[in-house]
Amino acid sequence: MSISKKEFKRVTVKSLMDMKKRGEKISMLTAYDFSMARIIDNANVDIILVGDSASNVMAGHETTLPITLDQMIYHASSVIRAANRALVVVDIPFGSYQSDPKEALRSAIRIMKESGAHAVKVEGGIEIKESVKRILNAGIPVMGHLGLTPQAIYKFGSYSVRAKETEEAKKLIEDAKLLERLGCFAIVLEKIPASLTKKVSEELTIPTIGIGGGKFADGQVLVIHDLLGMTHEFNPRFLRRYMNLYEDMGNAISQYVKDVKSQDFPNEEEQY
Ligand code: KIV
């Protein structure tokens, strides 16, 4: 059954804050296209993230760096057309906000205007303070992203757990508090120790959304292709697979090939 616009009120940045206050966990998943976003929205996921992980799972790149602003806007517009209830957040891609706050604002405005999204997400803390401020001053809600920040993969050199050492953990806490002070409405905490997620989540009034950050985050996010088992070669400890679509889809498609070859498909009922 599909959900009409009238049946559900849209999740807002304010309702997410209220969820944190009353201890209700927030669900977030990625989507990059209309059909997947419609299924996710109908399943009552609170936030749909049009992640720059589209660069990996949709385009087959090794990192998130190559995806462009135009490509993110294309994915976001497709998702927005399907999302009646979820808040839709869009990653500003690498190279479109780090160099200069004015460019950051221009990129955020393009995403909001051209896709109809509800908020943007950026990676980093103090280093991008001025860009975050500029975007927020224009009235655009910003979600932060700390810990493992894939746009900085070449600086770190690996996708291993972050902020295990005291110094890095201290900086992460300071960055999280800074993002909250600036006015961000939530922060993704990626691949950090559960104890650090707990500390940050307790010290902030805005929600934290974990991915590989353990159970103490105020919400959880996964890449939809990982949850559905489409990316069978990706096996991090934090991932819970709810399906094995790589195998199931492969089997279905092989069966289709067999049916075409054997002339079983189409049959009498499947033709005009
Ligand atoms: O791009 C993405 O999918 C993300 C999530 C992993 C949080 O940033």
Side-chain angles (χ1 to χ4, degrees):
M1 190 186 80
S2 77
I3 293 164
S4 82
K5 281 190 182 173
K6 288 190 203 100
E7 275 177 82
F8 281 98
K9 269 173 104 177
R10 168 90 60 197
V11 175
T12 63
V13 296
K14 161 87 173 52
S15 48
L16 295 172
M17 295 274 203
D18 294 342
M19 286 167 80
K20 170 156 180 153
K21 271 192 211 137
R22 57 173 189 268
E24 180 183 340
K25 297 283 183 181
I26 297 164
S27 57
M28 172 161 142
L29 279 176
T30 66
Y32 319 99
D33 68 282
F34 176 85
S35 304
M36 193 72 93
R38 192 164 56 169
I39 296 169
I40 292 172
D41 193 62
N42 280 353
N44 286 342
V45 168
D46 299 308
I47 307 174
I48 298 181
L49 172 67
V50 184
D52 57 1
S53 48
S55 179
N56 310 108
V57 294
M58 300 302 286
H61 292 296
E62 211 173 294
T63 71
T64 58
L65 275 65
I67 199 159
T68 65
L69 187 57
D70 283 335
Q71 288 164 342
M72 288 304 295
I73 290 169
Y74 166 77
H75 287 297
S77 339
S78 311
V79 167
I80 273 288
R81 284 192 281 275
N84 293 325
R85 177 185 175 272
L87 183 87
V88 178
V89 181
V90 181
D91 266 329
I92 311 188
F94 175 69
S96 309
Y97 64 97
Q98 292 94 342
S99 57
D100 145 34
K102 281 190 190 158
E103 193 196 8
L105 178 57
R106 270 196 300 276
S107 302
I109 287 177
R110 278 202 61 204
I111 289 173
M112 301 297 281
K113 253 187 185 310
E114 295 176 38
S115 75
H118 310 125
V120 295
K121 176 163 86 57
V122 287
E123 295 182 6
I126 183 105
E127 314 78 16
I128 56 157
K129 178 181 167 194
E130 294 308 319
S131 292
V132 172
K133 254 164 89 175
R134 189 64 79 111
I135 299 169
L136 284 163
N137 281 343
I140 299 171
V142 177
M143 177 180 269
H145 184 153
L146 298 171
L148 172 57
T149 48
Q151 291 180 8
I153 185 59
Y154 291 120
K155 180 175 155 196
F156 296 115
S158 85
Y159 288 98
S160 56
V161 178
R162 292 287 136 75
K164 288 204 303 207
E165 307 303 327
T166 317
E167 268 314 294
E168 204 185 332
K170 206 170 137 232
K171 180 179 181 317
L172 189 143
I173 295 168
E174 280 163 12
D175 280 342
K177 287 184 176 169
L178 171 71
L179 292 174
E180 171 168 270
R181 270 200 313 280
L182 291 175
C184 287
F185 71 89
I187 302 175
V188 167
L189 297 176
E190 181 163 354
K191 234 173 165 184
I192 61 170
S195 55
L196 181 58
T197 301
K198 183 169 189 285
K199 190 167 168 50
V200 174
S201 306
E202 283 171 357
E203 292 194 11
L204 296 188
T205 57
I206 58 171
T208 59
I209 312 286
I211 173 162
K215 66 179 185 179
F216 299 109
D218 301 303
Q220 297 293 330
V221 56
L222 284 177
V223 168
I224 186 66
H225 292 65
D226 299 337
L227 175 150
L228 295 175
M230 294 170 86
T231 47
H232 72 307
E233 69 289 352
F234 183 62
N235 260 316
R237 173 166 159 181
F238 69 77
L239 175 62
R240 184 180 294 181
R241 284 217 180 90
Y242 289 82
M243 293 185 85
N244 187 354
L245 271 196
Y246 188 90
E247 227 175 88
D248 293 348
M249 288 174 78
N251 289 339
I253 294 162
S254 300
Q255 188 59 49
Y256 164 75
V257 172
K258 275 189 202 137
D259 291 351
V260 170
K261 302 276 182 198
S262 67
Q263 301 182 39
D264 179 76
F265 175 79
N267 63 23
E268 292 295 322
E269 282 79 48
E270 291 161 333
Q271 65 187 10
Y272 299 99

